[in-house]
């Protein structure tokens, strides 16, 4: 058995807001540079995307492969239901995709530009039944985000999926949560966690910014299903952003990004007094509301969660430039990846001295990142959080003090005094 690094939530070029570069040849090439072995096809219910996939993928022993870059694809996609909850699902083959398309036609427009992720005029229970009847598996996408997620609209998986809840074997965590937060909710402990990028563009600071390392005999649907349903210990690693980097981690205004405590947001009726924007409840506060446990506790099969920062982001910080797409960042990225084989190798495995031979500043930042000398200005209200990688232990301690008001989700709203301030 081999371990595969898998990104199981992405979108093709027919989804809304995606890059025209979201096509199989580019995706496979970028996946290889990132170090990913398996991608989801995404948008499998869309007629034109289905044809595109059939043209570029070769079927081999139940697996679908892009041959030029040796990248595997598992067929799947994302659906929005009548309650605005998103689900991701996986299917065994193209026949089951056509079969499911037939069944879902009556609930939604499935084709045309912007319909890669269709909105179905039916609920989660029905959708889960139809996907499973077609041989597939399904679970909630980015389960905690304040828009379009199971826990933003329901208090439990059971409330959302009804009689199908027992058939839900996995949860996609999304960028604003990690295993620590997700396992605070008791019912999540029975389920596998998937960490995926939800990428809308193929560049490696998006594609694979979160991924799951899974042990499989071969990288195909039947193995994935077996792992998620019965052999969860074969999920070897969840990898993703620190939840504080997620754009909905803290409770904050969606216009001026001022952070609030839930108590003050309730008093203010979720209206920001500074700019009249709407205050959005953060993932952290939503999870703490539903939490049964109040300290770290995991089921035995749960793997480690490795917090990672995309390499281009680290290079940007090391070189002190503003733009991640600048020539300086891109050429350094390309050099490192071509020498060491993939982004994941550079971030996780290659010895620092070898990276230093190519670029000392970047080597230093990667070393600090591996030693966990990273602070985060927590995100919220739709604004991504920001990592600060400190070059030494002293700098780390100093910055921690200096920035204590913007790290974590501390409310920055000073309109109401807390008890301690009187
Ligand atoms: Zn979604
Ligand atoms: Zn998506
Ligand atoms: Zn505001």
């Amino acid at each position: 058995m081999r371990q595969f690094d898998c990104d199981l939530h992405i979108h093709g070029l027919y989804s809304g807001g995606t890059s025209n570069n979201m096509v199989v040849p580019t995706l496979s090439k970028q996946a290889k540079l990132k170090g990913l072995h398996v991608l989801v096809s995404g948008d499998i219910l869309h007629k034109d995307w289905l044809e595109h996939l059939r043209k570029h993928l070769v079927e081999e022993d139940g697996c679908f492969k892009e041959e030029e870059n040796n990248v595997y694809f598992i067929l799947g996609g994302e659906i929005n239901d009548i309650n605005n909850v998103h689900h991701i699902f996986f299917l065994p083959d193209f026949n089951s995709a056509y079969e499911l398309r037939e069944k879902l036609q009556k609930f939604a427009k499935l084709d045309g530009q912007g319909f890669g992720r269709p909105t179905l005029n039916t609920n989660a229970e029905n959708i889960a039944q139809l996907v499973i009847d077609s041989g597939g598996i399904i679970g909630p996408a980015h389960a905690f985000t304040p828009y379009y997620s199971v826990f933003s609209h329901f208090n439990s998986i059971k409330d959302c999926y009804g009689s199908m809840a027992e058939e839900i074997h996995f949860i996609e965590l999304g960028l604003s949560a990690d295993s620590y937060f997700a396992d605070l909710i008791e019912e999540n402990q029975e389920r596998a966690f998937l960490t995926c990028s939800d990428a809308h563009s193929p560049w490696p600071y998006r594609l694979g910014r979160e991924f799951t390392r899974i042990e499989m005999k071969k990288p195909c649907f039947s193995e994935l299903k077996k792992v998620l349903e019965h052999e969860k210990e074969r999920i070897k690693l969840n990898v993703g952003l620190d939840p504080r980097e997620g754009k909905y981690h803290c409770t904050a205004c969606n216009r001026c990004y001022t952070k609030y405590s839930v108590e003050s947001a309730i008093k203010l009726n979720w209206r920001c007094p500074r700019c009249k924007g709407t205050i959005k409840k953060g993932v952290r506060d939503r999870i703490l509301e539903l939490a049964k446990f109040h300290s770290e506790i995991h089921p035995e099969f749960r793997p480690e969660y490795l917090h990672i920062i995309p390499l281009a982001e680290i290079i940007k910080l090391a070189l002190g430039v503003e733009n991640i797409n600048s020539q300086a960042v891109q050429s350094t990225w390309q050099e490192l990846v071509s020498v060491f084989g993939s982004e994941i190798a550079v971030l996780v495995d290659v010895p620092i001295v070898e990276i230093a031979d190519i670029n000392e500043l970047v080597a230093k930042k990667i070393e600090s990142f591996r030693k966990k000398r990273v602070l985060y200005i927590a995100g919220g209200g739709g604004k991504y959080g920001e990592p600060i990688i400190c070059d030494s232990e002293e700098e780390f301690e100093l910055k921690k003090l200096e920035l204590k008001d913007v790290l974590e989700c501390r409310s920055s709203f000073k309109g109401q005094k807390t008890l301690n301030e009187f």
Side-chain angles (χ1 to χ4, degrees), residues 7 51 155 203 225 229 294 297 312 364 387 405 410 412:
D7 186 351
E51 271 163 32
N155 286 333
W203 316 125
K225 182 171 190 279
E229 291 186 348
H294 294 281
I297 177 162
K364 207 165 175 184
D405 287 337
R410 197 178 299 217
S412 51

Side-chain angles (χ1 to χ4, degrees), residues 253 255-258 272 274-275 277:
C253 170
R255 231 189 258 169
C256 71
Y257 311 118
T258 301
C272 172
R274 286 198 178 153
C275 75

Side-chain angles (χ1 to χ4, degrees), residues 9 11 78 86 117 141-142 148 198:
H9 183 171
H11 293 281
E78 186 181 27
H86 286 188
R117 182 192 54 219
H142 40 72
Y148 307 115
D198 200 356

